[in-house]
Amino acid sequence: TVWSGARPAPRPGWLLVRGDRIASCGTAHAPEPAAEAIIDLEAGHLLPGFCDAHSHLSVGAWLPAVEDGRVLRSADEALAAVRALAAAKAPGDWIVFGRVDLDHWTGGRVPTAADLDEASAGRPVLLIDLTLHRGVLSNEGLRRCEIGRDTHDALGDIVRGRRGEPTGLVWERAFGRALYTALRALAADAGETGVDGLLDREAQSHLRLGITRVHEPGVPPDVHARLAALAARTPLRL
């Protein structure tokens, strides 16, 4: 079953591929062209590649390399998990949890920077909300991101306490700074080969889902260079 045309509709048919291009397609009523090889998809559906206009590929690539925050159901569970990881981490290492669902935590409480500092024994910590629009930092994480009481924040992306000190919860631009600060530190530890491997795997994940074109919104220049290199070595149009 082929889906084709400006307004695709499913119909029995065939598709002729020449090299890496679609040469033509037709319905089951049109004669099939001569071909060197014929692949029968049987009951399968053949669709155009999907275009993802907002895929944070360079962030998603890191999900296998950071802690899985989906298992955390409350602030207390998060602090316990940070405390357990801190025992196995070097003092300067980042502790990062991805895919944390802050909206559905029991009690709705978010740990403060001081809470995370205590649990991590002063290590940099970042909890990444699954929306990729906010996160929570420890005090050491705030310091490494250069986010403090005097940081200019016209948009209110840095949540502050009554005395003006950041609570640890950051949104949008401030969160973007935190995210890429933590990921750059992880990238330095992983090395060029390690980072390229993560990006290659994420590109293949998109292709396996039928996504052939991706737009990655808002990346820093150094990440842009990595993605340009990725685009040159993968069939994924990026």
Side-chain angles (χ1 to χ4, degrees):
T1 302
V2 178
W3 297 68
S4 65
R7 302 183 69 178
R11 55 186 178 174
W14 51 264
L15 194 75
L16 178 65
V17 178
R18 182 176 292 117
D20 63 353
R21 298 280 181 175
I22 295 172
S24 60
C25 65
T27 67
H29 303 294
E32 295 181 8
E36 293 179 0
I38 297 176
I39 300 173
D40 186 356
L41 298 183
E42 299 177 348
H45 285 251
L46 190 65
L47 296 92
F50 295 109
C51 301
D52 193 328
H54 193 108
S55 176
H56 289 279
L57 181 147
S58 63
V59 176
W62 284 98
L63 292 177
V66 301
E67 305 302 322
D68 190 351
R70 292 174 297 179
V71 301
L72 306 178
R73 300 299 181 189
S74 67
D76 289 339
E77 285 189 11
L79 293 172
V82 168
R83 194 171 288 111
L85 274 176
K89 291 275 189 179
D93 288 352
W94 275 87
I95 295 174
V96 181
F97 281 87
R99 291 183 282 192
V100 177
D101 191 358
L102 295 174
D103 281 328
H104 293 92
W105 274 9
T106 303
R109 184 173 76 85
V110 175
T112 65
D115 292 335
L116 292 172
D117 245 30
E118 183 277 326
S120 66
R123 290 167 176 78
V125 180
L126 174 61
L127 309 181
I128 302 171
D129 187 73
L130 57 80
T131 62
L132 290 181
H133 286 272
R134 63 177 171 175
V136 190
L137 288 160
S138 64
N139 277 321
E140 178 60 15
L142 288 167
R143 187 189 69 79
R144 294 200 185 189
C145 297
E146 299 181 350
I147 297 174
R149 182 173 186 172
D150 299 324
T151 302
H152 179 67
D153 177 32
L155 298 177
D157 290 339
I158 302 171
V159 178
R160 302 177 186 272
R162 292 167 62 183
R163 298 184 177 181
E165 295 289 343
T167 65
L169 181 62
V170 290
W171 290 79
E172 305 298 355
R173 289 189 181 183
F175 167 70
R177 182 194 301 186
L179 180 63
Y180 283 109
T181 298
L183 292 186
R184 284 190 182 98
L186 296 179
D189 293 337
E192 292 295 322
T193 302
V195 175
D196 287 344
L198 290 171
L199 290 171
D200 288 342
R201 180 164 56 181
E202 187 68 7
Q204 289 301 318
S205 294
H206 280 70
L207 290 168
R208 281 195 298 272
L209 292 170
I211 299 170
T212 57
R213 185 185 295 268
V214 162
H215 175 245
E216 161 82 91
V219 297
D222 59 332
V223 178
H224 180 276
R226 286 190 182 279
L227 294 181
L230 175 65
R233 64 178 186 266
T234 176
L236 184 67
R237 294 188 179 184
L238 181 60

